[in-house]
Amino acid sequence: MDKAKIQQIIKSNMMILILILLVVVFGLLSPNFLTVKNLMNICTQNAYFIVATIGVALVMISGGTDLSVGQILAVIGVSIAMLMQSAGLPVPVAIILGGVIGMALGAFNGLSANILKIHPMIVTLATMAIYKGISYTLSGSKSFFNFDPSYVAIGQGYVGVVSVPIIIALVVALIIHFMLEKTCFGRFIYAVGGNAETARLAGINVSKIKVMVFGIAGVLYTVSTVILTSRGGSASSSIGPGVEFDAITACVLGGVSFIGGEGRVKDAVVGCLILGILGNGMQLIGMGVYTQNIVKGLILMASIGYDTYQKMAKVKKVVAK
Amino acid sequence: MEQQVVLKMKNITKRYPGVVALDNVSVDFKSGEVHALLGENGAGKSTLIKVLSGAVQNDEGTIWINGNEYDKMTPLVSRTNGVEVIYQEYNLINGLTVAENICLGRQMNGLVNKKEMVQITRELFERFHIDINPKAYVKELSTAQQQLVEITKAISKDAGIIVMDEPTAQLTMSEVENLYEMIRSLKERGKTIIYISHRLDELFAITDSVTVMRDGAYVTTVETAKTSRDELITLMVGRKLSDTYPKRDCIKNDIILKVENVSGLKNTGVSFDLHKGEILGVSGLVGAGRTELMRVIFGADKKLDGKVFINGKEKNARSPQDMIKSGMGLIPEDRKEQGCFLNNSIEWNISIGNIRKLTSNRMIDKKKIRRQAEKYRDMLNIKTPALEQRVGLLSGGNQQKVVLAKVLAMDSDIIVFDEPTRGIDIGARHEIYEMMSRLVESGKSIVMVSSDMEELLGMSDRIIVISNGRLTGEVAKQEFSQEYIMALASHE
Ligand SMILES: Nc1ncnc2c1ncn2[C@@H]1O[C@H](COP(=O)(O)OP(=O)(O)OP(=O)(O)O)[C@@H](O)[C@H]1O
Ligand SMILES: [Mg+2]
């Protein structure tokens, strides 16, 4: 293998290398870090976050962004809890209805962006407020506890040594990976994000793809919410908010393009794990919360800077014909 | 006037992964000359220019300019040495007016003086007979108008060396005449113009010498007055090449596409027919509305009035998707904005339009994608180290070939070619003409919008002319003449 090829491989797996580096560094700094139990724990804790981030990544690949994800998680969380407790519906039915709600809220984002012809970032900035209002109206600021044991089992169960949340996240990642890599629909998502006008002229129904992407993201948000609330054993209007920025951070860290058209499921997952390991590791070595924030911010800035730098280099080459 | 060497590119080498874009190239340029660079797509012309302007850095070699010798250029050093490059697009700022763009970077007592800017711009436009409102915003201009503004802007800087990389690709004949005027007046003032174009007739009309490049290497420099078309082609391609248009018999078949009284934002009441197995040429000045007319028929722009029939059935398309389903394909004029996915690979681009056919068990089949890409690479002679190469890294002409391949792969019965050979070298151009002939012989039908009169006359079976959004004439093959068509095109 020649030097250029090795460089290429390093470049395209940069973030995985950084992830490994982080594991090694924290392993050296803290004896409690590099244990199977701790690593499994990090994954279990972040499973819901990974699933939601994959949803956001899909939206970003199609050329949009989703700022409303946190509030959607809240609406779904509260809805499922109320469906189970106030309406007394069986667990599976409540979850399926939750999926329908998630899909509807997502699709509403996509539809609004299409109809109003404004960037999804702005649309979801607005729906973020709308969904927040909905979730608090539904919950009346109350929290919900004491879920059915079969529901709690989803978040707290194990198959062998592996927790159910990890398995769910893995299955979601594989399905979406398959969809992006192997199906025509997946290609169209990249096409729409890469250059919407070219895609339209090539016969792709751009509006439809956008709505579908948001809809699928909504379903993923439901899966995420179910993991989150069943594991924690409670649901309220404050469970989701904040996730939007972490999710976008994870995507950008992992290498999903902010402009659209580029990114893989792997990138989103790696981004989430970097954030998760950073958080856990910094805590184990006893770093203060505020210092942790500063470190996270710096890392994000560096990675976005790197991303933009690469994009600019690309654009420059392209522009200079 | 005494001509002096003002610029020497010495032993320039530039490598990219998998390609040597420039291989030990040495060329001298003199003052008061129009010096052409000629070569096939991917020969390295643009790269040489980028080395000169500092947009990319050479790996080896030096640049001698105005008595100074540089190992490498930077954009700033290049500018201060009086080099101005006119790229095809992208250098104007959309949100500013024409005048503001032209005066950008000019010192004006530190304050923005709109009146003065408009005045300067108006004078420049008057000098070069350009009819554009200095107060218009760039985003309101057509591509041709933007190109003219771009040229005016470069000239207004009073640079010593002006490079024009395919400046006429967007222009029609009268504007090209206009450009020639500009170039002649620059030449009289002792400037050096480096001129890149694939149209040989332009080289003979305006240049003094021609430097030929092949596969990144310098071949030779000849005086334009002492060479011929055939010699240039042989030098460029390395073999003899016929550059006549393929002969075809046109039999009048049934009407496949019927356009009735179609109006869009820029067109009013246009009607025409396209017969099966026919190549219908569409002529007109830049800005006449030809592209929009095609986009309206194709469902890409809004149709305000009128009807479109395919095989006698009315099609009320609301999107390109509908039209593609009815058997129509469009090769758009603007390859960067509408034709390519610049960040995706060649094979990805070629397959995106017919990806549904490249599956097995409903899953994308990478082998089929690869095979299709290989087929078109060979057919259209796409020059690239690998089919995984990002399209954005290809030379301009090769990008255009990828766009053609993408639409051809969709296998439509009716194909609209909007400026199909823009930026494409002579050899490949004839491949494309041959291919169009084969397409119509196999029963497809073609509408060809082109600003290249020669190709329009050579390829079409019939030509319709659009002026100001209206159909001003239809010319049968027996009556083809440049003068007649130009007259119809400028008909109000
Ligand atoms: N940034 C890049 N990375 C990789 N290869 C490149 C890059 N820029 C140019 N090349 C390659 O260098 C070669 C020369 O390209 P160049 O753009 O100079 O050709 P050209 O003579 O201007 O062609 P055209 O007539 O099509 O415009 C081509 O093979 C092209 O693919
Ligand atoms: Mg070029």
Side-chain angles (χ1 to χ4, degrees):
Chain A
M1 232 185 329
D2 56 287
K3 213 170 131 197
K5 260 209 180 121
I6 296 176
Q7 270 177 347
Q8 182 61 37
I9 291 174
I10 292 179
K11 213 168 127 193
S12 55
N13 291 303
M14 192 66 160
M15 284 301 149
I16 294 186
L17 293 178
I18 291 185
L19 182 65
I20 295 173
L21 188 78
L22 280 177
V23 171
V24 172
V25 169
F26 284 123
L28 291 174
L29 289 177
S30 161
N32 300 330
F33 180 80
L34 210 56
T35 62
V36 174
K37 187 159 166 260
N38 185 45
L39 292 181
M40 279 291 203
N41 234 336
I42 297 177
C43 292
T44 309
Q45 271 168 10
N46 283 291
Y48 88 92
F49 178 54
I50 290 176
V51 174
T53 303
I54 292 175
V56 174
L58 280 181
V59 174
M60 283 175 65
I61 293 171
S62 76
T65 328
D66 190 352
L67 293 175
S68 69
V69 46
Q71 302 298 345
I72 295 186
L73 295 194
V75 175
I76 300 172
V78 169
S79 305
I80 292 182
M82 292 176 75
L83 287 171
M84 290 191 300
Q85 299 192 332
S86 316
L89 292 177
V91 172
V93 178
I95 292 178
I96 289 172
L97 285 178
V100 173
I101 295 173
M103 184 151 67
L105 297 182
F108 180 73
N109 282 336
L111 276 174
S112 316
N114 282 339
I115 293 170
L116 302 174
K117 297 207 188 325
I118 40 183
H119 192 275
M121 173 123 99
I122 314 292
V123 169
T124 55
L125 195 62
T127 55
M128 186 174 162
I130 299 176
Y131 297 160
K132 181 175 181 183
I134 294 179
S135 98
Y136 276 98
T137 310
L138 286 175
S139 71
S141 305
K142 279 203 308 277
S143 296
F144 301 84
F145 305 99
N146 297 329
F147 295 139
D148 192 293
S150 67
Y151 187 70
V152 176
I154 300 174
Q156 300 183 355
Y158 276 83
V159 176
V161 287
V162 189
S163 69
V164 175
I166 293 185
I167 295 174
I168 297 179
L170 207 63
V171 171
V172 166
L174 287 176
I175 292 177
I176 302 297
H177 173 79
F178 176 83
M179 180 186 90
L180 283 178
E181 294 294 311
K182 288 284 173 192
T183 67
C184 298
F185 176 66
R187 289 251 156 162
F188 295 159
I189 299 179
Y190 286 100
V192 168
N195 186 336
E197 180 62 7
T198 306
R200 194 171 77 98
L201 292 179
I204 297 169
N205 190 333
V206 174
S207 315
K208 190 170 113 192
I209 303 277
K210 280 190 179 163
V211 174
M212 284 174 74
V213 165
F214 268 105
I216 293 172
V219 173
L220 296 186
Y221 300 159
T222 307
V223 175
S224 165
T225 312
V226 169
I227 299 176
L228 177 65
T229 57
S230 64
R231 200 177 118 75
S234 75
S236 73
S237 290
S238 60
I239 53 160
V243 167
E244 55 277 352
F245 294 110
D246 286 341
I248 293 173
T249 309
C251 285
V252 174
L253 263 178
V256 180
S257 160
F258 207 85
I259 314 169
E262 274 171 90
R264 291 159 166 245
V265 171
K266 183 192 83 186
D267 300 337
V269 174
V270 170
C272 291
L273 290 179
I274 289 182
L275 283 186
I277 283 177
L278 260 180
N280 177 282
M282 289 190 297
Q283 206 154 13
L284 282 183
I285 61 172
M287 205 183 262
V289 181
Y290 302 131
T291 325
Q292 286 187 30
N293 280 333
I294 295 175
V295 172
K296 269 193 194 173
L298 287 176
I299 288 189
L300 177 66
M301 204 186 272
S303 82
I304 294 185
Y306 178 73
D307 181 62
T308 330
Y309 169 77
Q310 280 209 323
K311 286 280 140 52
M312 285 308 290
K314 233 183 252 178
V315 170
K316 255 191 217 152
K317 278 181 198 155
V318 171
V319 168
K321 190 174 167 256
Chain B
M1 189 193 293
E2 183 68 22
Q3 289 193 332
Q4 290 169 327
V5 175
V6 288
L7 168 67
K8 291 182 188 196
M9 312 277 292
K10 294 189 204 162
N11 307 97
I12 305 284
T13 296
K14 172 74 191 172
R15 297 184 197 92
Y16 287 113
V19 235
V20 184
L22 293 174
D23 186 4
N24 198 18
V25 173
S26 305
V27 203
D28 293 353
F29 299 91
K30 296 192 198 112
S31 63
E33 78 165 345
V34 184
H35 192 136
L37 293 182
L38 182 66
E40 290 181 287
N41 294 129
K45 307 175 296 288
S46 297
T47 308
L48 188 69
I49 293 317
K50 285 184 220 166
V51 166
L52 171 64
S53 71
V56 302
Q57 269 72 45
N58 43 313
D59 299 322
E60 285 158 34
T62 56
I63 298 138
W64 181 95
I65 185 166
N66 301 327
N68 301 320
E69 185 137 354
Y70 300 92
D71 285 341
K72 288 179 171 48
M73 277 291 172
T74 67
L76 188 66
V77 173
S78 179
R79 274 255 158 91
T80 40
N81 275 295
V83 178
E84 272 300 320
V85 180
I86 302 166
Y87 297 111
Q88 283 208 351
E89 53 233 55
Y90 286 110
N91 280 320
L92 298 176
I93 298 169
N94 271 328
L96 296 182
T97 64
V98 171
E100 283 163 340
N101 265 287
I102 286 191
C103 298
L104 206 67
R106 235 170 226 268
Q107 287 298 325
M108 295 185 123
N109 306 327
L111 288 177
V112 178
N113 183 340
K114 290 208 174 172
K115 258 203 193 124
E116 198 184 331
M117 290 190 196
V118 170
Q119 191 51 36
I120 292 176
T121 308
R122 192 158 279 145
E123 277 163 19
L124 281 166
F125 281 172
E126 256 161 39
R127 199 161 99 214
F128 299 122
H129 312 288
I130 294 172
D131 182 24
I132 297 175
N133 179 3
K135 291 181 188 160
Y137 282 92
V138 166
K139 58 177 176 241
E140 298 162 2
L141 303 184
S142 70
T143 42
Q145 289 171 323
Q146 291 188 14
Q147 181 72 5
L148 290 174
V149 173
E150 185 89 66
I151 293 169
T152 315
K153 179 179 163 194
I155 290 175
S156 76
K157 297 232 174 98
D158 208 39
I161 298 170
I162 297 167
V163 184
M164 305 185 176
D165 194 349
E166 298 186 39
T168 55
Q170 324 265 358
L171 307 180
T172 40
M173 276 178 58
S174 60
E175 287 146 328
V176 172
E177 270 310 322
N178 214 329
L179 177 69
Y180 288 173
E181 273 308 311
M182 293 189 198
I183 292 178
R184 282 188 202 112
S185 91
L186 290 170
K187 187 175 135 181
E188 271 162 27
R189 285 164 37 215
K191 314 272 183 197
T192 307
I193 293 102
I194 303 177
Y195 191 92
I196 301 180
S197 173
H198 289 292
R199 296 187 186 166
L200 289 182
D201 47 333
E202 288 180 7
L203 301 197
F204 284 104
I206 193 74
T207 68
D208 303 308
S209 52
V210 181
T211 288
V212 182
M213 297 176 65
R214 194 194 310 149
D215 293 331
Y218 172 86
V219 177
T220 183
T221 301
V222 291
E223 274 179 55
T224 315
K226 292 187 187 152
T227 185
S228 67
R229 240 186 124 84
D230 286 341
E231 188 191 14
L232 285 181
I233 293 175
T234 314
L235 285 172
M236 178 166 79
V237 191
R239 67 195 142 89
K240 271 212 167 0
L241 195 80
S242 88
D243 70 334
T244 51
Y245 291 90
K247 289 249 179 306
R248 277 176 301 115
D249 303 321
C250 183
I251 321 141
K252 276 264 157 143
N253 281 313
D254 304 341
I255 292 175
I256 182 163
L257 172 72
K258 189 173 186 61
V259 174
E260 243 178 46
N261 270 317
V262 163
S263 301
L265 280 175
K266 290 190 197 151
N267 285 278
T268 19
V270 178
S271 308
F272 66 86
D273 295 336
L274 173 70
H275 298 263
K276 196 164 184 294
E278 181 184 40
I279 298 181
L280 176 69
V282 181
S283 182
L285 300 179
V286 168
R290 296 168 301 170
T291 293
E292 198 229 15
L293 177 63
M294 294 305 138
R295 285 174 56 92
V296 169
I297 296 170
F298 187 59
D301 282 345
K302 203 167 168 56
K303 187 170 77 201
L304 298 178
D305 196 17
K307 290 178 180 161
V308 175
F309 301 86
I310 289 182
N311 282 324
K313 277 198 224 77
E314 184 174 352
K315 301 284 172 191
N316 213 338
R318 269 171 294 124
S319 69
Q321 197 186 18
D322 293 345
M323 243 15 210
I324 288 171
K325 278 191 192 135
S326 313
M328 188 166 173
L330 172 83
I331 295 166
E333 125 189 90
D334 184 340
R335 65 171 165 257
K336 289 200 166 96
E337 297 293 322
Q338 305 175 347
C340 296
F341 298 90
L342 291 170
N343 281 331
N344 292 92
S345 70
I346 297 172
E347 52 187 359
W348 193 100
N349 268 274
I350 295 181
S351 62
I352 191 69
N354 72 334
I355 190 75
R356 288 187 201 284
K357 290 199 193 117
L358 304 175
T359 51
S360 21
N361 302 324
R362 318 193 73 227
M363 275 188 285
I364 288 179
D365 186 336
K366 295 227 162 96
K367 280 204 200 92
K368 287 188 183 165
I369 292 181
R370 172 57 59 93
R371 237 175 282 137
Q372 170 172 297
E374 280 168 353
K375 178 177 135 199
Y376 284 103
R377 179 193 60 198
D378 298 343
M379 186 163 132
L380 298 173
N381 195 7
I382 300 173
K383 205 180 152 207
T384 173
L387 290 168
E388 300 100 328
Q389 179 84 305
R390 280 210 313 265
V391 169
L393 298 182
L394 293 179
S395 79
N398 284 304
Q399 289 178 4
Q400 178 69 11
K401 292 177 195 169
V402 173
V403 179
L404 287 176
K406 180 187 72 183
V407 179
L408 291 177
M410 285 156 68
D411 196 30
S412 314
D413 292 331
I414 305 167
I415 308 176
V416 178
F417 288 75
D418 196 349
E419 306 286 359
T421 58
R422 175 176 287 175
I424 288 197
D425 68 48
I426 298 193
R429 191 180 286 228
H430 283 274
E431 295 295 322
I432 290 171
Y433 296 151
E434 296 282 348
M435 184 198 70
M436 289 169 88
S437 290
R438 283 198 300 275
L439 284 174
V440 287
E441 265 156 24
S442 69
K444 313 256 178 207
S445 317
I446 290 176
V447 180
M448 180 172 77
V449 178
S450 175
S451 299
D452 184 333
M453 187 59 82
E454 218 187 285
E455 107 182 342
L456 214 47
L457 296 175
M459 287 302 295
S460 313
D461 298 312
R462 199 156 51 95
I463 293 175
I464 57 172
V465 187
I466 308 283
S467 167
N468 258 325
R470 289 171 190 280
L471 188 80
T472 49
E474 180 187 319
V475 189
K477 187 140 197 151
Q478 312 75 270
E479 313 165 54
F480 276 5
S481 93
Q482 189 158 320
E483 292 71 31
Y484 183 38
I485 291 172
M486 283 310 288
L488 289 172
S490 26
H491 189 87
E492 286 301 315

